[in-house]
Every structure is written in C-alpha cells, then in structure tokens.
Amino acid sequence: QVQLVESGGGLVQAGGSLRLSCAASGRSLSVYGMAWFRQAPGKEREFVAAISWSGDSRGYADSVKGRFTITREDGKNTVYLQMNSLKPEDTATYYCARFRAYDNMWSRDTGDYRDWGQGTQVTVSS
C-alpha cells in the first residue's frame, strides 16, 4: 500500500497560480501511473490530469488543458500539479491517487485508482 499526502492548496485570486504536491511513502511511485482528481461540493469527483510511470504519456481534462501541468519526480517519490491561470470554477478539493497496477499507463476513471490521499483544498476567488 502507498500512503499519499497532498499539499500546496490555498486561497488564490483568479488568474493566479498554485503548485500542488503529492508525496508518497510506503512504496516507490516509479512503477505506477499517477493522477490528480478534484471534487467540488455537491459534485462528483472528476479527472484532472494523469501521467504514466515513465512520464512520456500525460492526459488532461479539457477544462484544464493548457493551464495545468502534471509532472513527477521519482527521486523524491512525488507528483506535482502546476496550476496556472486559475479560475473560480477550479475551486475544489484536489486528490492524488496511484494507478491500480504496475503498468505504464493511466486512465480517467476513478475506479482504476487506489490509495487516495486526504486531499488539499484549492479556492479561487473572482
């Protein structure tokens, strides 16, 4: 099992930036795809971004494409989400999770992920 801890959330004005971190312990992330999801109050958890274990394949939700970037630093067992040009509709709790299997892939489906972190709150004011 992998323990994941997200950090870096906060309150920011529209147009601002934040960098979220997802630090892992218990097992190396280097053999897993990783993803970020988010959940706003009253809404379902939705896919934001994902990266394969090799880093050569990434995917983004249409709503964040061109504004958010997912990266990984296996030496630090950490995955990042750089968020630029933030909008009020980006307000949510952001979660990281690892792909369910040892495989160089990712998906947009929450059911394909395990070992979710506790989340970090991002609030974007208009």
Side-chain angles (χ1 to χ4, degrees), residues 34-35 44 46 52 57 80 92 121:
M34 296 293 297
E44 292 188 352
E46 65 174 2
S52 62
S57 175
Y80 304 97
Q121 176 67 36

PDB file of all heavy atoms in Angstrom, residues 34-35 44 46 52 57 80 92 121:
ATOM      1  N   MET A  34       0.143   7.868 -12.188  1.00  0.00           N
ATOM      2  CA  MET A  34      -0.424   8.679 -11.121  1.00  0.00           C
ATOM      3  C   MET A  34      -1.407   9.692 -11.704  1.00  0.00           C
ATOM      4  O   MET A  34      -1.289  10.086 -12.872  1.00  0.00           O
ATOM      5  CB  MET A  34       0.679   9.431 -10.363  1.00  0.00           C
ATOM      6  CG  MET A  34       1.654   8.538  -9.626  1.00  0.00           C
ATOM      7  SD  MET A  34       0.897   7.657  -8.258  1.00  0.00           S
ATOM      8  CE  MET A  34       0.421   9.022  -7.187  1.00  0.00           C
ATOM      9  N   ALA A  35      -2.343  10.126 -10.883  1.00  0.00           N
ATOM     10  CA  ALA A  35      -3.347  11.054 -11.374  1.00  0.00           C
ATOM     11  C   ALA A  35      -3.774  12.028 -10.291  1.00  0.00           C
ATOM     12  O   ALA A  35      -3.611  11.759  -9.098  1.00  0.00           O
ATOM     13  CB  ALA A  35      -4.564  10.297 -11.883  1.00  0.00           C
ATOM     14  N   GLU A  44     -19.584  15.274  -8.314  1.00  0.00           N
ATOM     15  CA  GLU A  44     -18.814  14.036  -8.317  1.00  0.00           C
ATOM     16  C   GLU A  44     -17.320  14.346  -8.488  1.00  0.00           C
ATOM     17  O   GLU A  44     -16.939  15.370  -9.028  1.00  0.00           O
ATOM     18  CB  GLU A  44     -19.282  13.121  -9.447  1.00  0.00           C
ATOM     19  CG  GLU A  44     -20.680  12.570  -9.259  1.00  0.00           C
ATOM     20  CD  GLU A  44     -21.031  11.527 -10.300  1.00  0.00           C
ATOM     21  OE1 GLU A  44     -20.259  11.334 -11.240  1.00  0.00           O
ATOM     22  OE2 GLU A  44     -22.100  10.902 -10.151  1.00  0.00           O
ATOM     23  N   GLU A  46     -13.931  14.324 -10.232  1.00  0.00           N
ATOM     24  CA  GLU A  46     -13.644  14.336 -11.657  1.00  0.00           C
ATOM     25  C   GLU A  46     -12.151  14.303 -11.937  1.00  0.00           C
ATOM     26  O   GLU A  46     -11.337  14.799 -11.141  1.00  0.00           O
ATOM     27  CB  GLU A  46     -14.252  15.587 -12.322  1.00  0.00           C
ATOM     28  CG  GLU A  46     -13.671  16.897 -11.881  1.00  0.00           C
ATOM     29  CD  GLU A  46     -14.222  18.075 -12.677  1.00  0.00           C
ATOM     30  OE1 GLU A  46     -15.084  17.890 -13.547  1.00  0.00           O
ATOM     31  OE2 GLU A  46     -13.768  19.214 -12.416  1.00  0.00           O
ATOM     32  N   SER A  52       1.910   8.709 -16.933  1.00  0.00           N
ATOM     33  CA  SER A  52       2.370   7.329 -16.881  1.00  0.00           C
ATOM     34  C   SER A  52       3.622   7.223 -16.008  1.00  0.00           C
ATOM     35  O   SER A  52       4.235   8.240 -15.666  1.00  0.00           O
ATOM     36  CB  SER A  52       2.694   6.830 -18.289  1.00  0.00           C
ATOM     37  OG  SER A  52       3.752   7.606 -18.848  1.00  0.00           O
ATOM     38  N   SER A  57       3.758   9.820 -21.194  1.00  0.00           N
ATOM     39  CA  SER A  57       2.352   9.933 -21.580  1.00  0.00           C
ATOM     40  C   SER A  57       1.610  10.676 -20.489  1.00  0.00           C
ATOM     41  O   SER A  57       1.704  10.314 -19.310  1.00  0.00           O
ATOM     42  CB  SER A  57       1.736   8.546 -21.774  1.00  0.00           C
ATOM     43  OG  SER A  57       0.350   8.650 -22.044  1.00  0.00           O
ATOM     44  N   TYR A  80       3.546  16.260  -8.967  1.00  0.00           N
ATOM     45  CA  TYR A  80       3.155  17.656  -8.855  1.00  0.00           C
ATOM     46  C   TYR A  80       2.037  17.997  -9.835  1.00  0.00           C
ATOM     47  O   TYR A  80       1.883  17.358 -10.885  1.00  0.00           O
ATOM     48  CB  TYR A  80       4.345  18.564  -9.151  1.00  0.00           C
ATOM     49  CG  TYR A  80       5.545  18.315  -8.286  1.00  0.00           C
ATOM     50  CD1 TYR A  80       6.600  17.512  -8.724  1.00  0.00           C
ATOM     51  CD2 TYR A  80       5.636  18.871  -7.019  1.00  0.00           C
ATOM     52  CE1 TYR A  80       7.708  17.275  -7.930  1.00  0.00           C
ATOM     53  CE2 TYR A  80       6.750  18.642  -6.216  1.00  0.00           C
ATOM     54  CZ  TYR A  80       7.771  17.836  -6.678  1.00  0.00           C
ATOM     55  OH  TYR A  80       8.862  17.608  -5.875  1.00  0.00           O
ATOM     56  N   ALA A  92     -12.036  23.483  -5.597  1.00  0.00           N
ATOM     57  CA  ALA A  92     -12.369  22.094  -5.269  1.00  0.00           C
ATOM     58  C   ALA A  92     -11.327  21.558  -4.294  1.00  0.00           C
ATOM     59  O   ALA A  92     -10.303  22.203  -4.036  1.00  0.00           O
ATOM     60  CB  ALA A  92     -12.371  21.229  -6.524  1.00  0.00           C
ATOM     61  N   GLN A 121      -7.295  21.560  -0.286  1.00  0.00           N
ATOM     62  CA  GLN A 121      -8.333  22.482  -0.754  1.00  0.00           C
ATOM     63  C   GLN A 121      -7.717  23.599  -1.589  1.00  0.00           C
ATOM     64  O   GLN A 121      -6.731  24.233  -1.180  1.00  0.00           O
ATOM     65  CB  GLN A 121      -9.085  23.080   0.435  1.00  0.00           C
ATOM     66  CG  GLN A 121     -10.128  24.119   0.059  1.00  0.00           C
ATOM     67  CD  GLN A 121     -11.305  23.513  -0.708  1.00  0.00           C
ATOM     68  OE1 GLN A 121     -11.721  22.391  -0.427  1.00  0.00           O
ATOM     69  NE2 GLN A 121     -11.838  24.244  -1.676  1.00  0.00           N
TER      70      GLN A 121
END
